[in-house]
């Protein structure tokens, strides 16, 4: 469509910025590279907002439904068969338009914030180059028109994450964290690739619009009904393909049990945590399920979607329990991210498809949008706090409301939003999720309801211990408020956290792309209950942490071994180390290596030695003298004649 012929500029600008800053990093002085990176993201932000506005309010709506817009760059980019090919194109629809706003907004705020946060850092220009590469990768991911194209950008996002997490490569812990993130997500991506190949084979296409079309879904369900696609463990092989794709999303979105990389990823600079591990990269798995939602919903009566719901609900609860016990403020926020992403997955898993039945889908996307704003705000405020007190740990903080009033208020706004207190953004999306879950499965609803209260508790445990609790003696180095560039990003995201919940999201994004009206029923027991459980969590946190008391110690002692297990993240890292080192390496890899070294290599060496010894014995046959060869020839003829005569007689 000609109206969007410019859209390729959105990912093109940041990749050109990356190349420019990458090649000139040592030549350009510190602030200039930051200004260049920030200016390029401002242009991307402006184009993204213009594109989303134009799509939602001018072009996208056709006959009461939002129709996708495909901007083809090259058709038949890679051909496998006459039917199966990879096209190079950009797909614009409600969720990709929404994600353009999320990625460009958070990235721009991180760029502005980093002008102050990364000031005087020796890798300043390199940092901005990496930010541009990540932004390009994420924008390419959300605009991809087919599975293979999204996989390419999926891997580029992984590379960008590796570079940013390991930005302080002089620190062994940062290097280890970047490798851990890379290996875990690559392991998950192996399943993702297998799932892509299976879906392409059975669906006869990689294009999202073709795969999600009624004709393709009807074709696949017909094959399943007629047993033309074989089953395994009661599920069709196509459902297993979707589950494999979801495993790729689990790795990127840090869902249990592939979550172990996320807490360690906090080794990167705090702006990286806000950009990658709070608002953009970790929601890629949610976006992937949403992108293939018609397949997830219709194939095998939504069996794969049930897996999404269960894993999401468990991950939300599991992470919330661990967040109770963490002392590093960035790790609390990391497990909070895992819990909230689980909430989004749960929302997709409990969703229907049409109209109000698709409430879960809309709510999951809405929570993705609102969460991006307040979680980025939480991480960036945490960065300002760390910048001021030179520590990540709550034990070194307290009474900061006296020194950092702006940070205190924006952190409070974000904490209220994630806790689900109206009128802040998180309340509206969280309430829709709980409503959808209640209609789908009461047990999953109860988990979501419980997690809502737990979230309020651990977030205000964080807030009270940082800004109140005790009057810490900071000595001669009194904490100070963040500089202008950092404060600007905090205030902007604070405003977004306040107003984002009032967006009529159901009229813009839905599973079937048909707008519907959704509103909060303030007198509903579900709404009242969700507010009360959040208020209860805040109240308990106030009693325990507003002032320094012995309640936390009594609570930890009362929990006994359970508290220790939660504080040690249920020993998941140790379990992975045991499985990889003691079982895979020692019990499987070492015997295979011994067999390879002693049997395979030994057999090949035996062949070589035998050949060499045989050659030593027969090498004298070739002397180079004519009389010797004549004697061999005559002797051979005589021997053959004698054998013929013998056998004839």
């Amino acid at each position: 469509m000609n109206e969007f012929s410019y859209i390729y500029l959105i990912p093109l600008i940041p990749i050109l910025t990356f190349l420019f800053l990458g090649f000139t990093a040592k030549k350009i002085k510190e602030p200039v590279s930051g200004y260049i990176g920030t200016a390029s993201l401002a242009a991307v932000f402006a184009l993204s907002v213009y594109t989303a506005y134009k799509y939602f309010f001018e072009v996208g709506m056709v006959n009461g439904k939002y129709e996708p817009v495909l901007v083809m760059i090259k058709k038949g980019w890679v051909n496998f068969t006459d039917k199966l090919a990879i096209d190079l194109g950009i797909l614009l629809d409600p969720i990709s338009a929404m994600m353009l706003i999320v990625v460009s907004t958070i990235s721009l705020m991180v760029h502005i914030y980093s002008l102050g946060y990364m000031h005087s850092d020796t890798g300043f220009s390199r940092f901005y180059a990496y930010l541009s590469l990540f932004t390009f990768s994420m924008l390419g991911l959300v605009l991809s028109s087919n599975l293979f194209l999204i996989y390419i950008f999926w891997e580029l996002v992984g590379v960008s994450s590796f570079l940013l997490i390991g930005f302080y490569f002089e620190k062994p812990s940062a290097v280890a964290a970047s490798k851990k993130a890379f290996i875990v997500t690559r392991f998950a991506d192996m399943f993702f690739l297998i799932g892509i190949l299976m879906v392409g084979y059975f669906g006869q296409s990689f294009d999202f619009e073709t795969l999600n079309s009624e004709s393709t879904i009807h074709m696949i369900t017909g094959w399943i009904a007629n047993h033309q696609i074989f089953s395994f463990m009661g599920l069709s092989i196509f459902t297993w393909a979707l589950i494999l794709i979801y495993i790729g999303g689990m790795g990127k979105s840090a869902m249990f049990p592939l979550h172990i990389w996320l807490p360690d990823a906090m080794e990167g600079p705090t702006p990286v945590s806000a950009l990658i591990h709070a608002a953009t990269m970790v929601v890629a798995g949610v976006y992937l399920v949403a992108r293939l939602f018609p397949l997830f919903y219709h194939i095998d009566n939504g069996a794969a979607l049930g897996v999404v719901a269960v894993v999401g609900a468990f991950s939300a609860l599991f992470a919330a329990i661990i967040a109770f016990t963490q002392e590093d403020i960035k790790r609390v926020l990391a497990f909070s991210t895992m819990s909230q992403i689980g909430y989004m997955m749960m929302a997709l898993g409990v969703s229907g498809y049409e109209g109000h039945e698709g409430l879960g889908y809309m709510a999951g996307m809405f929570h993705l949008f609102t969460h991006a704003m307040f979680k980025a705000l939480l991480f960036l405020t945490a960065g300002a706090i760390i910048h001021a007190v030179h520590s990540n740990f709550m034990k070194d903080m307290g009474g900061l409301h006296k020194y950092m009033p702006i940070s205190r208020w924006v952190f409070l706004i974000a904490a209220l939003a994630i806790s689900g207190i109206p009128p802040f953004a998180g309340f509206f999306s969280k309430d829709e999720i709980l409503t959808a879950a209640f209609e789908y499965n009461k047990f999953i609803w109860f988990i979501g309801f419980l997690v809502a209260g737990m979230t309020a508790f651990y977030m205000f445990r964080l807030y009270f211990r940082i800004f109140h609790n005790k009057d810490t003696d900071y000595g001669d180095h009194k904490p100070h408020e963040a500089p202008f560039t950092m404060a600007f990003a905090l205030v902007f995201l604070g405003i977004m956290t306040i107003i984002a919940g009032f967006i009529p999201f159901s009229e813009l994004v839905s599973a079937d792309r048909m707008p519907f009206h959704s509103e909060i029923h303030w007198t509903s027991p579900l709404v009242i209950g969700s507010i009360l459980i959040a208020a209860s969590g805040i109240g308990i946190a106030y009693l325990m942490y507003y002032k320094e008391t012995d309640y936390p110690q009594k609570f930890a002692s009362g929990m006994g071994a359970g508290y220790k297990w939660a504080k040690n993240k249920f020993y998941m890292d140790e379990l992975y180390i045991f499985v990889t080192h003691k079982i895979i390496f020692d019990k499987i890899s070492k015997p295979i290596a011994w067999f390879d070294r002693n049997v395979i290599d030994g057999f090949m060496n035996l062949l070589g030695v035998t050949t060499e010894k045989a050659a030593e014995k027969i090498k004298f046959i070739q002397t180079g003298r004519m009389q010797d060869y004549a004697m061999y020839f005559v002797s051979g003829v005589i021997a053959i004649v004698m054998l013929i005569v013998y056998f004839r007689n």
Side-chain angles (χ1 to χ4, degrees):
M1 196 176 280
N2 292 331
E3 289 90 343
F4 296 102
S5 58
Y6 65 87
I7 198 170
Y8 68 91
L9 292 173
I10 293 177
L12 182 63
I13 291 172
I15 190 60
L16 292 177
T17 305
F18 162 70
L19 293 172
F20 178 77
L21 293 179
F23 284 116
T24 62
K26 294 183 179 180
K27 299 178 182 178
I28 298 179
K29 293 182 179 180
E30 177 186 306
V32 177
S33 56
Y35 296 151
I36 293 171
T38 304
S40 72
L41 252 295
V44 169
F45 173 74
L47 283 173
S48 298
V49 171
Y50 173 72
T51 300
Y53 177 84
K54 194 171 185 179
Y55 178 79
F56 283 121
F57 300 108
E58 294 182 5
V59 177
M61 182 73 74
V62 178
N63 297 324
K65 181 179 181 179
Y66 286 109
E67 293 294 340
V69 175
L70 181 63
V71 180
M72 188 58 64
I73 298 173
K74 183 173 177 58
K75 191 169 180 63
W77 181 42
V78 178
N79 291 298
F80 294 103
T81 66
D82 292 339
K83 294 182 179 179
L84 199 57
I86 302 174
D87 299 328
L88 192 61
I90 290 173
L91 178 63
L92 185 65
D93 70 346
I95 59 171
S96 59
M98 180 270 294
M99 286 298 293
L100 283 180
I101 298 295
V102 170
V103 175
S104 62
T105 301
I106 304 304
S107 185
L108 177 60
M109 290 304 106
V110 167
H111 275 72
I112 294 172
Y113 179 93
S114 299
L115 291 171
Y117 189 88
M118 298 300 291
H119 175 64
S120 299
D121 194 290
T122 54
F124 186 89
S125 296
R126 177 166 56 91
F127 180 77
Y128 272 89
Y130 290 169
L131 286 184
S132 296
L133 176 63
F134 172 81
T135 306
F136 159 73
S137 305
M138 197 67 206
L139 290 169
L141 188 153
V142 302
L143 289 172
S144 295
S145 62
N146 60 69
L147 271 170
F148 251 111
L149 201 55
I150 206 173
Y151 184 77
I152 292 170
F153 285 106
W154 191 274
E155 296 306 310
L156 276 173
V157 167
V159 172
S160 309
S161 175
F162 173 80
L163 294 172
L164 286 166
I165 295 170
F167 180 76
Y168 297 122
F169 55 84
E170 304 90 348
K171 291 172 58 180
S173 58
V175 174
S178 63
K179 289 194 294 184
K180 186 177 183 180
F182 193 78
I183 291 169
V184 172
T185 51
R186 293 298 74 69
F187 174 75
D189 292 350
M190 174 185 69
F191 296 101
F192 183 19
L193 180 59
I194 295 171
I196 288 173
L197 296 173
M198 291 169 65
V199 166
Y201 177 78
F202 290 109
Q204 289 297 295
S205 178
F206 295 117
D207 293 331
F208 291 125
E209 285 306 299
T210 302
L211 289 171
N212 289 327
S213 66
E214 290 184 11
S215 59
T216 300
I217 292 171
H218 181 73
M219 176 186 72
I220 295 169
T221 52
W223 287 348
I224 293 171
N226 295 322
H227 304 290
Q228 291 176 273
I229 295 180
F230 63 89
S231 299
F232 176 68
M233 295 178 64
L235 298 176
S236 72
I237 199 65
F238 200 91
T239 294
W240 283 107
L242 293 175
I243 292 173
L244 290 174
I245 288 176
Y246 176 57
I247 291 174
M250 287 169 59
K252 198 72 80 183
S253 291
M255 292 290 93
F256 180 89
L258 300 173
H259 65 281
I260 58 170
W261 65 270
L262 187 65
D264 292 343
M266 299 302 113
E267 289 289 342
T270 303
V272 170
S273 302
L275 179 64
I276 296 181
H277 310 118
T280 52
M281 189 187 92
V282 288
V283 299
V286 180
Y287 178 78
L288 181 64
V289 175
R291 176 53 75 204
L292 292 171
F293 188 77
L295 287 175
F296 274 89
Y297 179 77
H298 289 290
I299 303 301
D300 275 345
N301 297 314
L305 210 54
V307 175
V308 174
V310 171
V311 172
F314 181 81
S315 297
L317 178 62
F318 180 82
I321 294 171
I322 296 175
F324 273 13
T325 63
Q326 300 303 297
E327 293 294 318
D328 183 329
I329 62 174
K330 288 177 68 175
R331 286 181 183 268
V332 174
L333 295 178
F335 282 106
S336 171
T337 296
M338 177 183 168
S339 183
Q340 295 301 302
I341 300 296
Y343 234 76
M344 298 172 206
M345 290 290 194
M346 182 182 77
L348 292 176
V350 301
S351 181
Y353 187 68
E354 296 178 352
H356 283 276
E357 291 182 359
L359 181 64
Y361 179 95
M362 184 280 294
M365 293 294 98
F366 194 14
H367 201 59
L368 187 158
F369 183 83
T370 59
H371 174 265
M373 305 304 162
F374 57 71
K375 184 52 69 66
L377 177 56
L378 287 168
F379 265 109
L380 293 182
T381 309
I385 294 164
I386 294 167
H387 202 263
V389 302
H390 308 292
S391 174
N392 287 28
F393 294 94
M394 286 183 274
K395 65 182 178 62
D396 300 321
M397 301 171 190
L400 285 177
H401 70 283
K402 301 175 184 178
Y403 307 99
M404 307 179 71
I406 296 176
S407 297
R408 177 262 186 105
W409 285 111
V410 295
F411 195 95
L412 177 60
I413 289 170
L416 289 168
I418 195 173
S419 299
I421 299 296
F424 301 100
F427 164 76
F428 297 94
S429 53
K430 182 203 73 172
D431 183 76
E432 301 283 23
I433 291 174
L434 290 177
T435 301
F438 187 82
E439 295 174 359
Y440 174 82
N441 184 292
K442 300 298 187 292
F443 181 70
I444 288 181
W445 166 82
F446 179 73
I447 292 176
F449 181 73
L450 185 63
V451 169
M454 296 169 70
T455 302
F457 173 78
Y458 68 67
M459 284 309 306
F460 275 86
R461 169 182 177 260
L462 193 62
Y463 170 75
F464 289 133
R465 290 190 65 184
I466 293 172
F467 294 103
H468 298 281
N469 196 257
K470 61 184 179 181
D471 290 325
T472 302
D473 182 12
Y474 294 103
D476 296 331
H477 300 286
K478 298 293 183 185
H480 54 83
E481 190 54 87
F484 174 76
T485 54
M486 295 168 66
F488 174 83
L490 299 181
V491 172
F492 180 89
L493 290 171
I495 294 170
M496 290 297 297
T497 299
I498 294 171
I499 66 175
F502 296 100
I503 296 172
F505 209 80
S506 63
E507 297 176 14
L508 303 174
V509 176
S510 64
D512 60 357
R513 295 178 181 154
M514 295 285 289
F516 67 94
H517 181 66
S518 177
E519 61 180 346
I520 303 296
H521 299 285
W522 295 98
T523 58
S524 165
L526 290 177
V527 175
I528 295 172
S530 69
I531 296 173
L532 288 177
I533 191 72
S536 300
I538 295 172
I540 295 170
Y542 177 85
L543 293 174
M544 292 180 66
Y545 297 106
Y546 183 76
K547 292 183 178 180
E548 197 170 18
T549 66
D550 60 352
Y551 292 142
Q553 186 59 43
K554 289 180 178 178
F555 174 77
S557 300
M559 292 296 293
Y563 185 88
K564 182 181 178 183
W565 275 67
K567 191 166 186 176
N568 288 283
K569 297 168 283 188
F570 292 97
Y571 299 98
M572 287 299 297
D573 287 296
E574 289 78 3
L575 178 61
Y576 269 97
I577 290 173
F578 174 79
V579 170
T580 54
H581 288 212
K582 299 297 183 181
I583 298 178
I584 296 177
F585 293 168
D586 290 350
K587 304 301 182 185
I588 299 175
S589 299
K590 284 185 178 179
I592 291 174
W594 181 91
F595 183 83
D596 179 66
R597 188 168 51 251
N598 293 280
V599 178
I600 304 297
D601 288 353
F603 178 70
M604 299 308 296
N605 291 336
L606 178 64
L607 287 179
V609 170
T610 303
T611 302
E612 186 178 357
K613 290 186 178 296
E616 285 288 337
K617 298 294 184 182
I618 65 174
K619 68 180 181 180
F620 299 105
I621 294 175
Q622 290 186 321
T623 62
R625 294 185 298 178
M626 184 61 70
Q627 56 269 37
D628 291 339
Y629 298 151
M631 183 185 72
Y632 298 151
F633 176 76
V634 172
S635 299
V637 170
I638 293 172
I640 292 171
V641 171
M642 292 177 65
L643 287 171
I644 292 173
V645 171
Y646 174 79
F647 283 109
R648 287 188 65 183
N649 292 334

